[in-house]
Amino acid sequence: MEIDRFKHQHVEILQGIANLRKFAHAGIKENAYEIVHQLGALTSVVSLHLAIEDRILYPTLQKGGDQRLADMSRSYQEEMQGIANAYIVFARKWGKVAAVAEKAEQFRQEANTVLKTLHTRMQKENTEFYPAIEAS
């Protein structure tokens, strides 16, 4: 199965997280506009990535002949549902400049939790899931 598109989206997602970190470290209140802009861009890529995984990647692997990949795919899909829901709630909550600027510390805390979880998941897919797919 060709997964280059998924891998490229991971690069975009990880870069988006890095950009958000950069602006947050430089000052959340001072960079609220840039943070919201970056969060919107990241959300676009994450949403597209999730949709393609759910419609193409997971079903294809689950219907394929490799039971190990089918089981792994189901597990990854189930785990991603919670991560995706948490990310969507986060992105909606912090989609306005005023909200980020007014509650900078709360934004920082929630961003640290949600984005760390997303980052960890991307790395897990890059080091475990995608190599398993490519090896099949």
Side-chain angles (χ1 to χ4, degrees):
M1 172 173 222
E2 176 60 42
I3 60 170
D4 285 345
R5 171 176 36 179
F6 298 100
K7 291 164 73 174
H8 178 72
Q9 288 170 344
H10 275 199
V11 170
E12 289 182 71
I13 291 167
L14 293 171
Q15 185 59 54
I17 292 170
N19 290 342
L20 282 168
R21 277 192 190 126
K22 179 184 77 173
F23 286 121
H25 287 307
I28 293 173
K29 288 181 183 182
E30 300 82 1
N31 292 294
Y33 174 82
E34 289 83 2
I35 288 170
V36 169
H37 178 74
Q38 284 295 316
L39 182 59
L42 177 60
T43 299
S44 293
V45 177
V46 168
S47 297
L48 176 64
H49 184 73
L50 292 172
I52 295 171
E53 280 184 335
D54 280 343
R55 290 187 188 124
I56 297 171
L57 181 65
Y58 297 136
T60 300
L61 293 173
Q62 290 167 16
K63 292 175 187 172
D66 188 326
Q67 190 59 48
R68 184 179 71 88
L69 274 180
D71 292 343
M72 185 183 268
S73 175
R74 260 187 287 290
S75 174
Y76 270 75
Q77 186 175 26
E78 289 170 11
E79 180 184 276
M80 194 63 211
Q81 288 173 353
I83 295 168
N85 289 338
Y87 179 83
I88 290 165
V89 168
F90 168 79
R92 285 183 183 151
K93 180 176 181 177
W94 299 108
K96 301 225 180 316
V97 174
V100 172
E102 291 169 11
K103 297 181 180 177
E105 195 50 44
Q106 184 180 351
F107 171 81
R108 180 186 312 280
Q109 291 170 359
E110 292 181 23
N112 283 341
T113 300
V114 170
L115 296 177
K116 181 178 181 183
T117 301
L118 183 61
H119 185 275
T120 299
R121 171 55 186 252
M122 295 296 104
Q123 296 294 23
K124 182 178 177 185
E125 288 183 7
N126 287 342
T127 60
E128 294 176 10
F129 191 41
Y130 289 174
I133 293 168
E134 291 176 321
S136 67

